[in-house]
Amino acid sequence: MQRSSAILFLLSLLFVVSSCDSNQVFDAYKTVPGAWNNQDVVQFNFTVPDTTNTYNLFVNIRNNSEYKYSNLFVIVDLEFPHGKTLTDTLEYKMAKPNGEFLGEGFSSIKENKLWYKEGFILNESGNYTVNIQQAMRENGKVNGVINLDGITDVGFRIEKPSTH
């Protein structure tokens, strides 16, 4: 009897955890092997279920203690199915002034859910592509950081806006 109770408990827990994320439309990560080279583009492909709804779009970043900057610059290209491309250069704050990393997580890995677009309509049916590339530069230097240490994973997420 104890075994069936344990299985029932685990199934209930799984249901609760999965139902908490009912706003998720797309959520994927890609691991950055070693350092994130400034020529390496992290790419995600997706389709949206409804081209009339608004969505919130996020860039998700996981970093570890090897990340030595307080901010992060990325270039994000959003390619629509019929050829239009939106390009944005974005800056995200990654650490407090005292050097403590922002983000969620109890281990040395911190996960940051960073706003990309809010209330955005993906109004074309078909396959979309998002390309994310790091664009870091050190203060006072013209050339960018070629290999960015400390970024372990790059992700992209689409959510339905919360209704509450």
Side-chain angles (χ1 to χ4, degrees):
M1 192 63 152
Q2 286 181 347
R3 183 175 176 164
S4 63
S5 295
I7 291 171
L8 184 60
F9 173 76
L10 289 174
L11 287 174
S12 299
L13 183 64
L14 180 63
F15 175 76
V16 168
V17 170
S18 64
S19 65
C20 290
D21 204 7
S22 62
N23 290 342
Q24 173 187 323
V25 174
F26 178 85
D27 192 13
Y29 279 89
K30 295 200 175 164
T31 299
V32 175
W36 191 6
N37 185 280
N38 63 355
Q39 299 300 309
D40 291 342
V41 176
V42 180
Q43 186 175 83
F44 300 94
N45 299 297
F46 63 92
T47 57
V48 290
D50 187 339
T51 59
T52 61
N53 280 343
T54 60
Y55 297 99
N56 295 328
L57 312 179
F58 299 90
V59 172
N60 293 329
I61 300 289
R62 291 181 183 139
N63 67 285
N64 63 26
S65 59
E66 293 178 31
Y67 193 75
K68 64 180 186 175
Y69 302 98
S70 62
N71 63 351
L72 173 68
F73 283 91
V74 293
I75 299 169
V76 180
D77 289 331
L78 175 59
E79 298 174 6
F80 286 70
H82 302 298
K84 179 173 84 171
T85 300
L86 296 178
T87 300
D88 294 291
T89 302
L90 307 167
E91 179 184 12
Y92 296 113
K93 187 174 179 181
M94 300 294 286
K96 296 178 182 177
N98 68 0
E100 179 186 345
F101 284 121
L102 300 171
E104 302 289 322
F106 296 108
S107 69
S108 62
I109 303 287
K110 294 298 180 190
E111 184 168 356
N112 296 272
K113 182 178 176 183
L114 308 167
W115 282 97
Y116 171 43
K117 296 201 179 286
E118 182 177 12
F120 191 73
I121 298 176
L122 297 160
N123 60 359
E124 295 180 11
S125 59
N127 294 319
Y128 287 80
T129 300
V130 170
N131 297 304
I132 305 171
Q133 187 173 14
Q134 67 97 345
M136 289 295 292
R137 292 194 175 7
E138 292 185 356
N139 287 339
K141 295 190 178 174
V142 174
N143 294 326
V145 174
I146 294 172
N147 290 308
L148 183 61
D149 291 318
I151 301 296
T152 61
D153 301 275
V154 177
F156 185 71
R157 180 175 174 91
I158 303 171
E159 293 180 358
K160 298 175 202 169
S162 297
T163 56
H164 48 279

